Amino acid sequence: TAGITQAPTSQILAAGRSMTLRCTQDMRHNAMYWYRQDLGLGLRLIHYSNTAGTTGKGEVPDGYSVSRANTDDFPLTLASAVPSQTSVYFCASSANRNQPQHFGDGTRLSIL
Amino acid sequence: DQQVKQNSPSLSVQEGRISILNCDYTNSMFDYFLWYKKYPAEGPTFLISISSIKDKNEDGRFTVFLNKSAKHLSLHIVPSQPGDSAVYFCAATGTSGTYKYIFGTGTRLKVLA
């Protein structure tokens, strides 16, 4: 059972470069989410999508963009990476409102 | 402004005893609460949830209690097992609004054999 697949698993990126983190789900869930996890701050929502074709901003959206062209894919793009974006990024999905989220195993991103 | 707070960063419990993890929230619009467990190098895994129409939900060794007047929820694990050692996150959302979930900062539970 695949569930949520994130790629890459880890990446080192030079500041100023762009990067797209990939996320694919095979559960046909309507909603998808991107979080970052930082020590002492827990999981913070970056962007979300309630359904294909729509996206919304979370708590910390600056410096990130997303798209939801179809149900399965929800890529996260850093247009010009900065060191403060060093973090572990988790993608998640849920069937609908009031449903638990399923998480991928994360992408560990280091910006130098 | 932390809307969901887990004030204990860590907790150690002897195997077989009860583990109690606490979570407080400030937003009165939250009406659905969840607990997740996270092992190192893995994504969080859903554990148990509770709607605000209930004050208790039980699933095997795991029970979540909700005190709406105090804006407080707790997760009880009985009996605790070494495999329960993980970071536990509580999360909250308002079901009449957007799909946004707000997570706490997590509590690292260590169950000692």
Side-chain angles (χ1 to χ4, degrees):
Chain A
T1 305
I4 299 261
T5 302
Q6 289 187 239
T9 304
S10 64
Q11 182 75 45
I12 298 173
L13 187 68
R17 302 296 294 269
S18 67
M19 169 105 193
T20 295
L21 279 59
R22 299 184 298 279
C23 175
T24 300
Q25 54 115 349
D26 62 2
M27 297 172 283
R28 308 301 294 172
H29 283 173
N30 283 321
M32 297 187 75
Y33 314 82
W34 274 106
Y35 294 89
R36 58 179 290 174
Q37 184 190 8
D38 302 290
L39 195 63
L41 296 176
L43 291 158
R44 292 183 293 167
L45 182 65
I46 304 171
H47 285 287
Y48 67 98
S49 168
N50 291 344
T51 188
T54 69
T55 62
K57 293 181 179 181
E59 300 172 73
V60 288
D62 295 342
Y64 306 95
S65 63
V66 292
S67 61
R68 187 88 185 276
N70 58 61
T71 297
D72 299 341
D73 301 298
F74 191 43
L76 176 74
T77 297
L78 289 69
S80 179
V82 295
S84 61
Q85 291 177 310
T86 293
S87 187
V88 181
Y89 291 84
F90 289 101
C91 180
S93 72
S94 65
N96 275 303
R97 201 178 273 132
N98 228 11
Q99 296 293 316
Q101 295 179 349
H102 297 257
F103 284 81
D105 285 336
T107 293
R108 184 176 295 275
L109 184 62
S110 298
I111 314 295
L112 305 178
Chain B
D1 178 27
Q2 193 77 24
Q3 295 187 66
V4 178
K5 300 178 184 178
Q6 294 178 257
N7 291 318
S8 297
S10 63
L11 175 68
S12 291
V13 172
Q14 283 296 132
E15 181 180 6
R17 305 297 289 268
I18 184 172
S19 295
I20 301 176
L21 295 91
N22 294 304
C23 180
D24 297 294
Y25 62 96
T26 57
N27 192 332
S28 57
M29 297 302 292
F30 289 153
D31 58 6
Y32 183 56
F33 306 89
L34 310 93
W35 284 95
Y36 288 84
K37 179 165 80 171
K38 185 184 179 304
Y39 293 119
E42 294 183 9
T45 303
F46 168 70
L47 199 55
I48 193 169
S49 64
I50 188 167
S51 165
S52 61
I53 62 173
K54 293 184 173 183
D55 54 18
K56 176 183 174 181
N57 190 24
E58 195 170 352
D59 184 1
R61 296 185 296 114
F62 302 91
T63 303
V64 56
F65 295 92
L66 176 62
N67 182 334
K68 290 185 289 294
S69 61
K71 293 190 176 67
H72 176 83
L73 64 154
S74 61
L75 175 68
H76 293 211
I77 306 173
V78 183
S80 301
Q81 299 174 354
D84 296 329
S85 297
V87 177
Y88 289 79
F89 292 97
C90 67
T93 187
T95 56
S96 61
T98 68
Y99 283 54
K100 294 180 185 180
Y101 291 71
I102 304 298
F103 282 77
T105 53
T107 296
R108 182 178 301 278
L109 172 67
K110 188 170 184 179
V111 179
L112 307 170

